[in-house]
Amino acid sequence: MNWSKYSAPLAFYPLAGRMIPWFGTVAALAIAVGLYIGLLVAPTDFQQGEAYRIIFVHVPAAWMSMFLYVVMAVWAAVGLGLNARLSFMMTQAIAPTGAMFTFLALLTGAMWGKPTWGAWWVWDARLTSELILLFQYAGVMLLRTSIDDQRRADRASGVCALVGVVNIPIIYFSVQWWNTLHQGASVSMTAAPKMATIMLTGMLLMTFGFWMYSLAVILSRARCVILERESLQLWSKPSSVPEVAGVR
Amino acid sequence: MSQPGLWETLRGIIWRDLLLAIRRRSDVAISVLFLVIVASLFPLGVGPEPAVLRTIAAGVLWVAALLACLLSLGRVFTADYLDGVLEQMLLIAQPLPVLVAGKVFAHWVVSGLPVVLLSPLLGLQFGLEGEALGMLVLSLLLGTPTLSMIGSIGAALVLGVRGSGLLVALLVLPLYVPVLIFGAGAVTSSMAGIGGEANLSLLGACLVLSVFFAPWATASALRIALE
């Protein structure tokens, strides 16, 4: 099967439409089960009490905020390197979702910090670098909207996204490099997790759910971007309008 | 006629930018005056308590230096972009990142170096003395070139874009944060008696990384702006 044909936006449009319901359903199921485990099944933490349960949203959101930035930067690099329009459309589609998860991570972190640390916000390295990530998402999005020429907007915001990647390792390693109030990682690829299995299951399910949610939302946003940008091409071939718009 | 070599071209670009800056002295004076005025606003706003001023000195002076650098970023490429010199620069048969590095160096001499030279005076106003004052000058000397390097990426990205002055602040300030933390941290830790060498090393690392990567990113941003 020739996958490269889907790098054409008009071929990608119906494919994305077919995938969205699947990703959406899986996301809803995983988030529902994850929340059930996190809020009802998982035992109460002996140190932090019930307040710890917000990590079932906080940690997956923080992971997704970093992961989506890297994915966005990779699409930007592919777009700059191969000069592919669809890559830049994906970059544009990912940014708002990434910014949303960054904001969610900061918000839930503040809600957790108040009962646990006694403060909504502290200026430690992890929190500050995550806040900077939010500014970077905003910068990438605003740079794109400020430039009228589509091609230049794509490429300039792509370079901007790539430059900002330096912040991702800083966020990730901030709890090791600096002596922060934010606790170190409880889950790692190399060592056994420092939490109960049922808690870990809930958190991983939530992460999976957020991931699938991101795919569904990003693909449907990409479809909107395609419709918006390819409108001229669509209008020049009127027969394709109902065909493209009709396919789910 | 033989082509000028890389070093000759680089020297020519630096010399030209410095000459232009000398002939338009008021531009340089504005950003230096801006720094002095911003730094003097804080004692008026916070109150003239010497102990308080000494604790906030490093942060305030570093933020003021950062803003002064930000204010002068528009001058790196805009004039050359408007009169077409930049387009000719892109056609020179020498690697563009090197030429960009030359322009950024000239920009640092014009806008960063005056900040470094003026900082002991401002530090005295805030009651810094001895080792902390020396640390402030050293940290600014290592940090301001990094600010110019990172800033040039933003300046190139927003070239000719509407509302570019505010946009460049949004793009560049988040990237300035590490430099601000290490720079102000060097002064604060030397005041606390633990010595600022660790922070100075980190500032040096930032400088090396930015000198290596920033001209490259700036050059590709310039190509995008002018294609």
Side-chain angles (χ1 to χ4, degrees):
Chain A
M1 189 178 172
N2 181 18
W3 284 98
S4 63
K5 78 167 185 183
Y6 289 115
S7 61
L10 287 186
F12 179 74
Y13 186 91
L15 176 73
R18 280 199 302 277
M19 289 195 293
I20 290 166
W22 292 101
F23 287 132
T25 317
V26 174
L29 283 175
I31 291 176
V33 178
L35 278 181
Y36 173 74
I37 292 178
L39 298 183
L40 300 171
V41 178
T44 308
D45 190 85
F46 86 102
Q47 267 182 328
Q48 302 174 6
E50 300 291 349
Y52 95 95
R53 290 185 193 278
I54 203 146
I55 63 151
F56 290 107
V57 179
H58 174 73
V59 176
W63 279 344
M64 288 310 295
S65 69
M66 290 187 278
F67 174 67
L68 285 179
Y69 194 93
V70 174
V71 175
M72 181 175 82
V74 167
W75 277 118
V78 170
L80 287 169
L82 302 180
N83 216 350
R85 277 176 308 155
L86 186 63
S87 312
F88 289 121
M89 294 175 182
M90 288 304 285
T91 315
Q92 181 179 358
I94 291 170
T97 307
M100 189 276 284
F101 275 121
T102 315
F103 181 73
L104 189 65
L106 289 170
L107 184 75
T108 50
M111 286 156 68
W112 180 83
K114 186 62 184 168
T116 317
W117 296 338
W120 295 104
W121 183 264
V122 290
W123 289 98
D124 86 352
R126 176 56 75 78
L127 279 73
T128 312
S129 49
E130 184 76 7
L131 182 67
I132 290 171
L133 185 68
L134 185 63
F135 294 153
Q136 284 178 337
Y137 274 120
V140 171
M141 288 192 279
L142 283 173
L143 182 62
R144 173 188 297 282
T145 49
S146 305
I147 303 177
D148 293 325
D149 176 39
Q150 190 72 64
R151 187 177 151 79
R152 197 189 152 189
D154 278 342
R155 301 176 73 82
S157 61
V159 169
C160 185
L162 275 176
V163 170
V165 169
V166 286
N167 190 25
I168 299 295
I170 296 183
I171 301 177
Y172 189 77
F173 292 111
S174 57
V175 284
Q176 295 173 23
W177 290 348
W178 287 282
N179 193 4
T180 54
L181 187 57
H182 192 289
Q183 66 203 53
S186 305
V187 184
S188 91
M189 295 283 185
T190 49
K194 300 189 207 68
M195 57 160 69
T197 318
I198 187 73
M199 293 185 193
L200 185 67
T201 314
M203 216 162 80
L204 291 182
L205 262 176
M206 285 298 287
T207 310
F208 182 70
F210 278 4
W211 188 19
M212 292 298 118
Y213 162 84
S214 308
L215 276 169
V217 169
I218 287 166
L219 285 179
S220 47
R221 194 176 292 117
R223 270 162 63 101
C224 296
V225 173
I226 291 173
L227 273 189
E228 196 181 336
R229 291 209 201 170
E230 306 284 294
S231 54
L232 270 179
Q233 212 178 329
L234 286 175
W235 287 119
S236 68
K237 208 170 63 172
S239 62
S240 68
V241 175
E243 179 191 326
V244 167
V247 188
R248 275 277 323 160
Chain B
M1 204 180 85
S2 68
Q3 285 269 331
L6 183 58
W7 286 111
E8 274 172 82
T9 320
L10 189 61
R11 210 179 316 132
I13 279 182
I14 296 175
W15 181 242
R16 168 181 172 276
D17 277 18
L18 290 180
L19 204 62
L20 282 175
I22 292 170
R23 289 185 182 153
R24 246 182 281 154
R25 279 182 291 265
S26 61
D27 280 1
V28 182
I30 287 174
S31 60
V32 171
L33 267 178
F34 173 82
L35 171 78
V36 176
I37 290 174
V38 168
S40 340
L41 285 180
F42 279 87
L44 303 177
V46 179
E49 194 65 47
V52 177
L53 285 185
R54 211 169 296 128
T55 41
I56 63 167
V60 166
L61 293 178
W62 256 97
V63 169
L66 215 113
L67 292 178
C69 179
L70 190 71
L71 204 69
S72 63
L73 278 182
R75 285 205 306 272
V76 190
F77 298 117
T78 310
D80 289 349
Y81 174 69
L82 291 178
D83 62 15
V85 171
L86 206 57
E87 249 167 285
Q88 302 300 318
M89 239 178 78
L90 258 62
L91 298 175
I92 297 178
Q94 306 286 359
L96 185 59
V98 179
L99 308 182
V100 165
K103 277 192 83 68
V104 176
F105 176 74
H107 171 258
W108 175 74
V109 171
V110 170
S111 68
L113 201 56
V115 171
V116 178
L117 296 178
L118 207 63
S119 59
L121 205 64
L122 296 172
L124 281 176
Q125 275 193 322
F126 279 78
L128 291 184
E129 46 201 14
E131 199 196 341
L133 204 58
M135 197 53 88
L136 177 71
V137 178
L138 261 180
S139 67
L140 281 170
L141 190 64
L142 272 175
T144 44
T146 318
L147 298 184
S148 293
M149 278 291 170
I150 299 174
S152 73
I153 305 175
L157 281 174
V158 301
L159 214 50
V161 170
R162 68 190 130 80
S164 60
L166 286 174
L167 192 60
V168 76
L170 191 77
L171 296 185
V172 160
L173 283 180
L175 298 173
Y176 276 180
V177 168
V179 184
L180 170 70
I181 291 174
F182 299 143
V187 184
T188 330
S189 51
S190 90
M191 278 162 68
I194 26 178
E197 284 77 14
N199 280 306
L200 281 188
S201 308
L202 285 168
L203 272 183
C206 288
L207 176 59
V208 171
L209 280 178
S210 69
V211 167
F212 192 76
F213 286 112
W216 192 70
T218 309
S220 54
L222 284 178
R223 287 220 173 83
I224 290 167
L226 286 169
E227 74 182 3

